[in-house]
Amino acid sequence: MRERSISGSLFDAGNLIFMLAILTLMLFPFVYIVSYSLSNPSMLKGGLVLFPAGFTLDSYKKALGDSAVLTGAGISIARSIIGPAVMLFFTSMAAYALTRNDLGGVRFFRKYFVFTLYFTSGIIPMYLLMGYLQLKGTFLIYILPSAVSVFNMVLIKTYMEGLPKEMEEAAVVDGANDMRVFFQVIFPVCKPVFAAVVLFECVNQWNAFIDTQIYNTMSPHLYSLQYVLYNTLNQFNSLEQLKEQGQKQLTAITPQTFKMAITVITILPIAFVYPFLQRYFIKGLLVGSIKG
């Protein structure tokens, strides 16, 4: 027993050291970009930056001083809220329908949806379709194409199949129809998997800018935050550009510090949301691994 205790303690200590090392490797890049973005470039001497050198917010002032950035932030926030909500509504109902073995043609529909995971139409047919549907130049281009996610549908379907069938049977005996069974019985107990897929979709919507570049490049009022910052970053190459624009007061800023500030701005919203969904997110990741 003593040998077991010693070996167990050594294993726990080694495991703790290993996990701390992994945590350090994961946190260092974020600490680095935050410290670098808050530093005065003239006081940076290269190497590792763990603390701001000559604290300054000029890079953030430049990034947030443009009205286009605020408009883009509003668009990104709106699509990151509406998009996941619409996706969850339609995808969860489709997943529930695919769990019903008594549904006519359910096997065909299951294979049909899985087929779309492996084969897609490509950019050109998609672009032509969005033009035919008159979605280009509209906010709906961010919502409707992602209203149904087959990958998330598979996750939700797998989770629902692990629920006790007695719950649904009891509701049917009490006279509940399919819609009432889904929204009042099935939907409330699927919070873990719903939190996981919503987090996936929120991250996708927040980080997306390719759809803006393809469909809404002629509509500046619909630019997402990522696309606005992408354009700003491409236009901002040197201090000479700032001086030409009459912004000589922002002397403690370089393209590198500006890049770091942009990175922090885009990361923080997801970093704030994730802790509130972490408990459900971890449960959602285990979908299908445990039955009963």
Side-chain angles (χ1 to χ4, degrees):
M1 292 295 294
R2 183 176 181 180
E3 291 180 357
R4 278 189 177 182
S5 178
I6 294 176
S7 62
S9 299
L10 292 175
F11 174 79
D12 291 340
N15 191 32
L16 178 61
I17 294 174
F18 176 75
M19 296 304 296
L20 288 175
I22 296 297
L23 178 63
T24 301
L25 292 175
M26 295 177 63
L27 287 179
F28 171 73
F30 185 74
V31 174
Y32 175 78
I33 62 175
V34 172
S35 299
Y36 201 107
S37 66
L38 295 173
S39 299
N40 191 321
S42 61
M43 300 182 65
L44 293 174
K45 300 179 180 179
L48 302 178
V49 181
L50 297 179
F51 301 98
F55 181 83
T56 177
L57 294 175
D58 284 353
S59 296
Y60 292 93
K61 291 178 181 179
K62 168 60 181 174
L64 299 176
D66 191 349
S67 60
V69 174
L70 299 179
T71 302
I75 294 295
S76 291
I77 292 174
R79 65 180 297 181
S80 297
I81 295 175
I82 300 175
V86 173
M87 182 278 301
L88 180 62
F89 180 77
F90 289 106
T91 302
S92 61
M93 287 198 297
Y96 175 67
L98 293 180
T99 62
R100 303 294 299 269
N101 294 323
D102 57 341
L103 176 65
V106 66
R107 292 186 178 180
F108 167 78
F109 288 116
R110 289 171 181 170
K111 295 178 181 179
Y112 171 79
F113 283 116
V114 172
F115 178 84
T116 63
L117 286 175
Y118 299 97
F119 300 95
T120 60
S121 61
I123 296 178
I124 296 178
M126 189 70 174
Y127 181 84
L128 295 176
L129 176 62
M130 294 301 105
Y132 177 76
L133 297 176
Q134 299 183 356
L135 292 178
K136 292 190 300 182
T138 67
F139 179 78
L140 291 178
I141 194 67
Y142 301 139
I143 308 301
L144 294 184
S146 59
V148 176
S149 170
V150 178
F151 176 77
N152 293 336
M153 183 190 303
V154 173
L155 290 180
I156 297 173
K157 172 181 171 293
T158 304
Y159 188 91
M160 289 180 177
E161 289 176 340
L163 298 175
K165 296 297 181 182
E166 291 77 10
M167 297 173 53
E168 184 176 350
E169 293 173 356
V172 173
V173 170
D174 290 338
N177 55 25
D178 290 335
M179 295 293 292
R180 190 170 183 180
V181 169
F182 174 72
F183 285 108
Q184 296 187 1
V185 178
I186 303 298
F187 198 92
V189 298
C190 291
K191 289 182 180 179
V193 68
F194 287 166
V197 298
V198 165
L199 184 58
F200 290 152
E201 186 64 19
C202 282
V203 173
N204 290 336
Q205 290 281 6
W206 180 260
N207 291 332
F209 72 94
I210 296 298
D211 50 3
T212 303
Q213 190 175 31
I214 295 176
Y215 303 113
N216 285 344
T217 186
M218 302 301 295
S219 304
H221 63 287
L222 293 175
Y223 284 179
S224 63
L225 177 61
Q226 300 288 349
Y227 189 68
V228 171
L229 297 181
Y230 171 78
N231 286 337
T232 304
L233 184 59
N234 287 338
Q235 297 170 2
F236 178 75
N237 295 317
S238 63
L239 282 174
E240 283 70 22
Q241 284 187 331
L242 288 180
K243 294 178 181 179
E244 292 175 0
Q245 297 171 8
Q247 300 184 24
K248 297 182 179 180
Q249 69 274 16
L250 298 179
T251 57
I253 177 175
T254 65
Q256 189 65 16
T257 57
F258 187 67
K259 292 177 184 178
M260 298 297 183
I262 286 180
T263 305
V264 173
I265 291 173
T266 56
I267 289 176
L268 283 180
I270 299 299
F272 281 124
V273 171
Y274 181 80
F276 297 100
L277 298 177
Q278 183 180 12
R279 178 165 61 96
Y280 298 111
F281 177 70
I282 294 176
K283 293 181 180 179
L285 290 178
L286 299 177
V287 170
S289 61
I290 301 176
K291 295 291 184 180

